[in-house]
Amino acid sequence: MSEEARIPVLVVEDETAIRSGLCDVLAFHGYEPTGVERGDDGLAVGLSGDHALVLLDLMLPGMSGFDVCEKLRESQPALPILMLTARGSEEDVLRGFRCGADDYVTKPFSIAELMARVEALLRRSGRLEKPEEQSEPFAFGTWTVDPEALVARGNEKECVLTRREIDVLVALAAQTGRIVSRRSLLAEVWGYPDPDRVETRTIDMHVAKLRKKLDGESGSLIETVRGEGYRYSG
Ligand code: CA
């Protein structure tokens, strides 16, 4: 990545060691990080519109990460926001999604996972090139999904799927074991730049159809997470 192509990323995190660690990792991977300690300062810097992505801690002095997220989202609907949450705090994840966050990583996180999340959000927002569309068959529960043939095979059956349905399965399988918000599915699968304006019922209808097609008697492959999103656990 050339010097002028560096993508500016805002890091709002009050723990100095984590903040400087994040900034180092981002700089090493070719980004242009700005570290901010306080929530209210983070909001002010974020509102300047100079950054392509925000890494946002939730417990912050000055203003909570939830409030920062909500206010940033109001004025910049397409700005990717990645929350830093504590391990096991599903409540925080769901509250963050309600405040408009796009995705999350749990602390302590692996650098590989963090960078993968950052890249995925930047690709979605058009700041990085999109990857090739998934065309190789992949496993989903006991099914093998064939994106080229638009079918799922398994359980001695063959199930015809639409392109959209396959895209939903790809998005869920790519985040196996993690909550995927409706907002994120709408952005990823439907390509809406500002998914908040769109009926999330679209997603629910597609998931309902997928369940009808793919679920056996032992419960659903696609779990609903308290009305906020979905999870595929592999
Ligand atoms: Ca904190």
Side-chain angles (χ1 to χ4, degrees):
M1 206 181 277
S2 66
E3 199 59 35
E4 49 280 3
R6 284 181 169 253
I7 296 174
V9 173
L10 174 60
V11 177
V12 190
E13 163 67 67
D14 59 320
E15 278 178 65
T16 308
I18 298 179
R19 185 177 63 250
S20 61
L22 283 168
C23 288
D24 288 349
V25 166
L26 287 164
F28 179 77
H29 284 83
Y31 298 95
E32 184 72 60
T34 306
V36 175
E37 187 179 341
R38 295 171 53 90
D40 43 2
D41 294 340
L43 176 62
V45 176
L47 287 174
S48 71
D50 295 336
H51 294 87
L53 180 140
V54 181
L55 279 181
L56 184 61
D57 186 31
L58 296 177
M59 297 292 285
L60 292 164
M63 181 185 280
S64 85
F66 298 111
D67 290 340
V68 174
C69 186
E70 209 160 32
K71 293 199 159 59
L72 275 180
R73 180 58 70 229
E74 269 170 26
S75 73
Q76 302 194 38
L79 176 69
I81 301 174
L82 181 60
M83 296 179 272
L84 308 172
T85 66
R87 191 166 296 283
S89 61
E90 192 164 300
E91 279 304 313
D92 282 353
V93 171
L94 298 181
R95 191 172 161 204
F97 281 152
R98 281 193 286 274
C99 291
D102 294 284
D103 201 357
Y104 65 100
V105 285
T106 46
K107 293 193 272 190
F109 35 77
S110 78
I111 290 172
E113 173 169 25
L114 175 76
M115 294 319 297
R117 302 280 155 223
V118 166
E119 279 164 27
L121 287 178
L122 289 171
R123 276 198 294 268
R124 196 194 290 169
S125 71
R127 289 299 292 259
L128 285 176
E129 268 181 49
K130 294 216 188 306
E132 297 273 303
E133 210 167 69
Q134 167 99 27
S135 59
E136 292 296 309
F138 61 97
F140 197 89
T142 52
W143 298 92
T144 300
V145 180
D146 185 340
E148 300 254 290
L150 297 178
V151 293
R153 296 188 189 92
N155 313 308
E156 291 161 6
K157 281 192 286 191
E158 190 170 280
C159 212
V160 177
L161 300 170
T162 66
R163 167 55 53 195
R164 277 273 204 262
E165 287 169 346
I166 287 186
D167 289 345
V168 171
L169 296 179
V170 168
L172 290 170
Q175 303 228 43
T176 299
R178 295 165 47 85
I179 304 167
V180 184
S181 70
R182 286 192 178 79
R183 178 184 161 83
S184 150
L185 280 172
L186 280 164
E188 213 152 308
V189 176
W190 277 261
Y192 292 134
D194 182 8
D196 283 347
R197 294 200 200 120
V198 179
E199 277 279 11
T200 51
R201 276 193 346 128
T202 312
I203 293 277
D204 301 337
M205 275 162 39
H206 278 77
V207 169
K209 278 192 196 146
L210 279 167
R211 283 177 172 153
K212 217 170 191 176
K213 290 181 182 181
L214 301 181
D215 286 348
E217 278 157 21
S218 55
S220 186
L221 285 169
I222 304 169
E223 175 196 352
T224 299
V225 185
R226 295 236 212 122
E228 294 299 323
Y230 293 101
R231 175 164 48 201
Y232 163 65
S233 294

